[in-house]
Amino acid sequence: MKLREAQRRGYQAVRLLAQRRSGVRYAVRVLISGAIVWFLLGVLAHVDPLWGLISSVVVTDLKVESAMSNFVSRMLNTLIGCGTGLVFLRLFGFSAWVVLLAMGLSIIISADLVRVPISWRIAPITTVIVMTPAYLLHSPHAALTAALQRTGEVVIGSAVAVVVSYAAAGLQRWLRAGAEPPRPT
């Protein structure tokens, strides 16, 4: 009875360690991506790195294919949100109802027309981010500035996350290849 309990606890400990290991790998990748994004946007470009940091977290994944898929989804949804917001501002002007209608249309475009299943919520959020400065400041120029800045920050954050995912995957392959015992000839 005690042996079976010890085996079960040992198995649980191994599972917990494996789960923590993937959490640590995520954390390391996010920290590296975040540091690079913070340096590029905050230090070099002197802009708020918030959206770049958020994008690096959203795109980061342990699998390179998933990171690439997240990157494409993030970019498409950001472009859909920016485009919808700018078009609605141009056609209908500034009002709370216009912002809400643009949000709804960006959801339909992302979820049903373009069918970007991952992170479709980013499109309406981006629409609001683009349209709100124009609504609050009564300035279409504020919306264009917000759209360009947001898109640039998202591109940088997302691209850094993909590069870090590729680099980490390459490092893991290299470490595994070095850890294999030599084969007899």
Side-chain angles (χ1 to χ4, degrees):
M1 201 71 149
K2 290 185 181 196
L3 178 61
R4 197 174 273 174
E5 177 69 21
Q7 287 173 335
R8 188 172 58 81
R9 287 183 187 234
Y11 174 73
Q12 289 172 342
V14 168
R15 276 189 44 213
L16 182 63
L17 181 61
Q19 290 171 344
R20 282 200 173 146
R21 193 172 53 202
S22 79
V24 169
R25 290 186 345 211
Y26 272 120
V28 168
R29 289 177 189 195
V30 167
L31 290 173
I32 291 169
S33 296
I36 294 168
V37 167
W38 201 299
F39 178 75
L40 292 174
L41 293 175
V43 176
L44 293 182
H46 302 292
V47 297
D48 183 3
L50 176 67
W51 294 109
L53 291 170
I54 290 170
S55 295
S56 70
V57 172
V58 169
V59 171
T60 295
D61 203 287
L62 297 179
K63 296 180 181 175
V64 174
E65 298 81 19
S66 296
M68 245 351 251
S69 178
N70 293 343
F71 173 80
V72 169
S73 172
R74 183 85 170 142
M75 295 311 307
L76 283 174
N77 280 301
T78 298
L79 294 173
I80 289 167
C82 286
T84 304
L86 292 174
V87 166
F88 265 69
L89 284 172
R90 180 76 176 149
L91 294 177
F92 306 111
F94 320 111
S95 83
W97 291 107
V98 171
V99 173
L100 295 172
L101 290 172
M103 286 174 56
L105 182 61
S106 69
I107 292 169
I108 292 168
I109 292 169
S110 179
D112 291 338
L113 299 179
V114 179
R115 295 187 181 182
V116 185
I118 303 170
S119 303
W120 63 266
R121 292 169 185 90
I122 292 168
I125 291 168
T126 302
T127 300
V128 171
I129 291 168
V130 167
M131 295 182 78
T132 302
Y135 173 69
L136 295 175
L137 301 173
H138 302 289
S139 165
H141 180 70
L144 183 59
T145 302
L148 293 174
Q149 185 172 349
R150 164 121 165 109
T151 303
E153 292 167 5
V154 166
V155 168
I156 290 170
S158 300
V160 166
V162 169
V163 169
V164 168
S165 291
Y166 271 110
L171 179 64
Q172 278 185 318
R173 281 193 303 274
W174 181 72
L175 289 173
R176 273 192 229 128
E180 290 179 10
R183 295 183 183 188
T185 55

